[in-house]
Amino acid sequence: MSLSANLARNLRRMCPQWGDIEVVCREMGMNRTQFEKYLHGKAMPSRRSIETICAYFEVSEEELFAGEAAGRHFQRRNDEKDATAAACAEVMRPLWTEGTASIKPGLYFLWISVPKDPNRIVCAPLVIAKRGEALTFRRVVGAGEPRDQLFFYRVGDHKGLVVERLNWIMLIGVNQRGTYEPSMLRLRWTPLSQPTLSGHATLTTESGVSFSALCMRPAPPGMTFRKAVRQSRSYHKDDPIIDTTVRMVLTRERQELLATLTSDLAP
């Protein structure tokens, strides 16, 4: 089988792990029409495009163009990830019977302090939806900026459940972008004139588990999820897009988080 045919087969097996073709092309910065030619074995990518594709899917060039043996390798990897996802779903199954949390379905902006860098704040659009008796959420991170500027391991597409315990609203999710790392956000309503939630997050980053301060507010009226995703990137804390309330809340929550961690780790 030709290299172009091997490439096409392997791309078709890998793409579903990262989302639909439009998402994959946007995140790679690649023309969709051209990428479709690779998917159907009608063209070969340039050296630069090969490097981009390998970096995105986290495979070597040899794996990208390998024959049927690679197909079995990719299938085993898909089976392992499917098994992991099924195990996560089973663990979270009891949470589906929880009562509805005190937060309305809709589109929100979540502002996240960057670990080890107090001057950076990440914006992540978050959608909460009702599914039966449960509330579910989807949180997208880093889709609006170059991949090499992210402090996260990959662009995040976290999906999970929203539950409430002792006045804390918890968003328990798993990244769907191929890595399946878990995350948990803990938020509570803040006594401000505008609806605002604040709290902390346990996040999985490239360097390990970390903690961040959070501020979450409803998106402005008329904001669509597509428009919100374009704002999903890292900002300097003094960027005018971040209002003073968000900065104030994050500063307070970061100080509280630091004090809590220091107290817990004290001998």
Side-chain angles (χ1 to χ4, degrees), residues 91-223:
V91 169
M92 296 179 69
R93 190 180 304 279
L95 296 177
W96 285 89
T97 62
E98 296 290 334
T100 302
S102 59
I103 184 170
K104 293 181 179 180
L107 177 61
Y108 295 80
F109 276 116
L110 179 70
W111 300 91
I112 311 170
S113 67
V114 175
K116 299 183 180 180
D117 189 350
N119 292 319
R120 305 302 300 178
I121 298 173
V122 169
C123 175
L126 188 149
V127 175
I128 294 178
K130 192 165 185 180
R131 186 173 167 187
E133 294 300 316
L135 284 181
T136 63
F137 78 91
R138 180 187 181 191
R139 183 178 86 253
V140 176
V141 182
E145 68 182 340
R147 284 162 47 82
D148 60 1
Q149 294 181 17
L150 292 175
F151 78 92
F152 296 94
Y153 182 64
R154 286 192 64 82
V155 170
D157 190 354
H158 290 253
K159 297 179 181 179
L161 293 171
V162 183
V163 297
E164 188 165 358
R165 284 285 189 280
L166 301 174
N167 296 321
W168 284 95
I169 296 172
M170 293 178 283
L171 289 81
I172 306 165
V174 176
N175 192 0
Q176 306 296 304
R177 301 299 297 135
T179 51
Y180 289 102
E181 76 269 13
S183 67
M184 184 171 75
L185 314 183
R186 300 172 299 281
L187 297 150
R188 57 189 169 189
W189 291 104
T190 301
L192 295 172
S193 58
Q194 296 181 339
T196 304
L197 292 129
S198 63
H200 311 113
T202 302
L203 304 170
T204 304
T205 70
E206 188 172 15
S207 57
V209 176
S210 192
F211 306 92
S212 295
L214 303 175
C215 178
M216 192 167 89
R217 305 176 77 178
M223 175 67 68

